[in-house]
Amino acid sequence: MSGSGVPLRVVSYNVHGQRDDTAALAEVVRATAPDVVVVQEGPRRFRWREKSAALAESFGLVVAAGGLPALGNLVLTDLRVRVTGARCRRFPLTPGRHLRGAAYADCVVGRSARFTVAGSHLSTDPAERPGQAELFRRDLAAAPYPVIAAADLNEEPGDPAWRTVAEGLTDTAVAADRADRLTYSCANPRRRIDALFVDPRISVVDYDVLDTPLTRRASDHFPLLVDLLIPAAG
């Protein structure tokens, strides 16, 4: 897909609660020079603000949205991106299961290229995922600007929750003809459960799943690296 607009580089990354090699994690992200990083499994407990800021700083970025109110989902940006609004969502709790949520940031890049970044991490429970996907999809549909939606969906293309979130959006892997790139797990890559979807008005320039010795040390998921063109307001 090609087009005109303002360039934006986005990384989506499940960082596995920073339980792996954090120096490798920081090196991986910094080397990509991203404008936006959407994090799953970020800080969500004691001193989460401080820990989220430290994670962002290790990437050379700042926190735009998320943290505990979004249950570990974070949107991080560089100083080229102006954040005009932020909000969080918690999905309804099923007793005895993990809390899940989503983070949203309304942004501007360049003079007038506006977009909404959304990040989420759906449940591992197949009974919970469809309802969470529907709530996430409703939020995406209500976003004020063209959306960039990054998520660990915990299921693969064609499955129910994946179809719900993807409805009306462009799967950046498919657009770049790289849907064969697997994202999980780093130890034994067998599944594509991490995705980045965009509004059709946003052009996909490039897409990659970063499978390197460094990314295999940094987390149990590979990061997605996507180059986009954001349409400028007329």
Side-chain angles (χ1 to χ4, degrees), residues 75-207:
V75 177
L76 312 177
T77 62
D78 67 6
L79 297 181
R80 178 173 169 257
V81 176
R82 303 191 304 281
V83 179
T84 61
R87 53 203 173 275
C88 297
R89 147 92 71 181
R90 290 190 179 195
F91 299 133
L93 172 64
T94 301
R97 306 212 177 125
H98 291 297
L99 287 163
R100 303 285 181 172
Y104 308 87
D106 300 325
C107 304
V108 187
V109 66
R111 291 186 177 182
S112 60
R114 297 183 177 273
F115 58 96
T116 296
V117 181
S120 189
H121 184 188
L122 302 188
S123 175
T124 56
D125 188 318
E128 287 189 309
R129 279 198 302 272
Q132 294 174 353
E134 180 58 35
L135 290 173
F136 189 44
R137 180 70 195 112
R138 289 180 194 174
D139 288 346
L140 300 179
Y145 308 115
V147 298
I148 299 168
D152 174 355
L153 297 170
N154 268 313
E155 62 180 43
E156 297 178 80
D159 290 337
W162 183 293
R163 291 199 309 269
T164 296
V165 175
E167 183 181 352
L169 301 176
T170 299
D171 182 335
T172 56
V174 173
D177 196 24
R178 290 180 176 169
D180 59 335
R181 306 289 177 92
L182 305 177
T183 69
Y184 181 82
S185 70
C186 292
N188 183 22
R190 297 177 63 184
R191 306 176 70 200
R192 183 164 82 96
I193 63 173
D194 304 273
L196 194 144
F197 304 104
V198 296
D199 185 290
R201 290 170 288 181
I202 296 174
S203 297
V204 180
V205 177
D206 199 12
Y207 169 99

